[in-house]
Short mmCIF file of all heavy atoms in Angstrom, two decimals:
data_model
loop_
_atom_site.label_atom_id
_atom_site.label_comp_id
_atom_site.label_asym_id
_atom_site.label_seq_id
_atom_site.Cartn_x
_atom_site.Cartn_y
_atom_site.Cartn_z
N PRO A 118 19.85 22.04 68.66
CA PRO A 118 18.81 22.50 67.74
C PRO A 118 19.24 22.41 66.27
O PRO A 118 20.43 22.50 65.94
CB PRO A 118 18.62 23.97 68.14
CG PRO A 118 19.18 24.10 69.50
CD PRO A 118 20.28 23.08 69.60
N SER A 119 18.27 22.27 65.40
CA SER A 119 18.52 22.21 63.96
C SER A 119 17.23 22.49 63.21
O SER A 119 16.16 22.05 63.64
CB SER A 119 19.05 20.83 63.57
OG SER A 119 19.04 20.65 62.17
N THR A 120 17.34 23.17 62.09
CA THR A 120 16.22 23.26 61.15
C THR A 120 16.57 22.47 59.89
O THR A 120 15.91 21.49 59.54
CB THR A 120 15.94 24.73 60.77
OG1 THR A 120 15.53 25.41 61.95
CG2 THR A 120 14.84 24.83 59.72
N ARG A 121 17.64 22.88 59.20
CA ARG A 121 17.99 22.30 57.91
C ARG A 121 18.43 20.85 57.98
O ARG A 121 17.94 20.00 57.22
CB ARG A 121 19.15 23.10 57.27
CG ARG A 121 18.75 24.34 56.57
CD ARG A 121 19.82 25.40 56.72
NE ARG A 121 19.84 25.80 58.10
CZ ARG A 121 19.02 26.74 58.60
NH1 ARG A 121 18.22 27.39 57.81
NH2 ARG A 121 19.03 27.05 59.89
N THR A 122 19.36 20.56 58.88
CA THR A 122 19.97 19.23 58.84
C THR A 122 18.95 18.16 59.22
O THR A 122 18.80 17.15 58.52
CB THR A 122 21.18 19.19 59.79
OG1 THR A 122 22.00 20.33 59.53
CG2 THR A 122 21.99 17.92 59.59
N ARG A 123 18.23 18.39 60.31
CA ARG A 123 17.27 17.36 60.74
C ARG A 123 16.14 17.20 59.71
O ARG A 123 15.83 16.09 59.28
CB ARG A 123 16.67 17.72 62.10
CG ARG A 123 15.77 16.61 62.66
CD ARG A 123 15.36 16.89 64.08
NE ARG A 123 14.42 17.97 64.20
CZ ARG A 123 13.09 17.86 64.02
NH1 ARG A 123 12.55 16.70 63.72
NH2 ARG A 123 12.32 18.92 64.17
N ARG A 172 23.07 14.47 65.82
CA ARG A 172 23.69 15.76 66.16
C ARG A 172 23.90 15.79 67.66
O ARG A 172 22.99 15.52 68.44
CB ARG A 172 22.83 16.94 65.73
CG ARG A 172 23.41 18.27 66.25
CD ARG A 172 22.82 19.46 65.62
NE ARG A 172 23.25 19.59 64.23
CZ ARG A 172 22.95 20.63 63.46
NH1 ARG A 172 22.22 21.63 63.95
NH2 ARG A 172 23.37 20.69 62.21
N HIS A 200 30.99 18.84 60.68
CA HIS A 200 29.64 18.73 60.11
C HIS A 200 29.84 18.20 58.68
O HIS A 200 29.68 18.94 57.70
CB HIS A 200 28.99 20.11 60.13
CG HIS A 200 27.50 20.10 59.93
ND1 HIS A 200 26.78 19.00 59.49
CD2 HIS A 200 26.58 21.10 60.09
CE1 HIS A 200 25.50 19.32 59.41
NE2 HIS A 200 25.35 20.58 59.78
N GLN A 203 27.27 18.72 55.83
CA GLN A 203 27.20 20.12 55.39
C GLN A 203 28.33 20.37 54.39
O GLN A 203 28.12 21.02 53.35
CB GLN A 203 27.34 21.06 56.58
CG GLN A 203 27.34 22.54 56.21
CD GLN A 203 25.99 23.06 55.77
OE1 GLN A 203 24.98 22.75 56.38
NE2 GLN A 203 25.95 23.85 54.70
N ARG A 233 32.07 24.37 62.83
CA ARG A 233 32.30 22.99 62.35
C ARG A 233 32.11 22.89 60.84
O ARG A 233 32.68 22.02 60.20
CB ARG A 233 31.36 22.04 63.09
CG ARG A 233 29.87 22.36 62.95
CD ARG A 233 29.05 21.57 63.95
NE ARG A 233 27.64 21.96 63.93
CZ ARG A 233 26.79 21.72 64.91
NH1 ARG A 233 27.21 21.13 66.01
NH2 ARG A 233 25.54 22.07 64.82
N PRO A 333 26.14 28.51 55.64
CA PRO A 333 25.45 27.26 56.00
C PRO A 333 24.08 27.52 56.61
O PRO A 333 23.26 26.60 56.68
CB PRO A 333 26.41 26.61 57.02
CG PRO A 333 27.20 27.74 57.58
CD PRO A 333 27.34 28.75 56.47
N LEU A 334 23.83 28.74 57.04
CA LEU A 334 22.59 29.14 57.71
C LEU A 334 22.44 28.38 59.04
O LEU A 334 22.95 27.28 59.15
CB LEU A 334 21.37 28.94 56.82
CG LEU A 334 21.41 29.64 55.45
CD1 LEU A 334 20.15 29.30 54.65
CD2 LEU A 334 21.57 31.15 55.59
N PRO A 335 21.78 28.90 60.05
CA PRO A 335 21.05 30.16 60.03
C PRO A 335 21.99 31.37 60.01
O PRO A 335 23.07 31.33 60.58
CB PRO A 335 20.26 30.11 61.34
CG PRO A 335 21.10 29.28 62.26
CD PRO A 335 21.74 28.25 61.39
N1 CP B 618 23.47 24.36 58.43
C1 CP B 618 22.93 23.73 59.50
O1 CP B 618 23.51 22.80 60.06
O2 CP B 618 21.72 24.21 59.87
P1 CP B 618 20.85 23.65 61.07
O3 CP B 618 21.59 23.92 62.36
O4 CP B 618 19.54 24.37 60.98
O5 CP B 618 20.70 22.16 60.86
#
Side-chain angles (χ1 to χ4, degrees):
S119 168
T120 296
R121 278 146 291 275
T122 311
R123 185 171 71 83
R172 173 167 289 185
H200 196 347
Q203 178 72 43
R233 58 193 174 200
L334 304 178

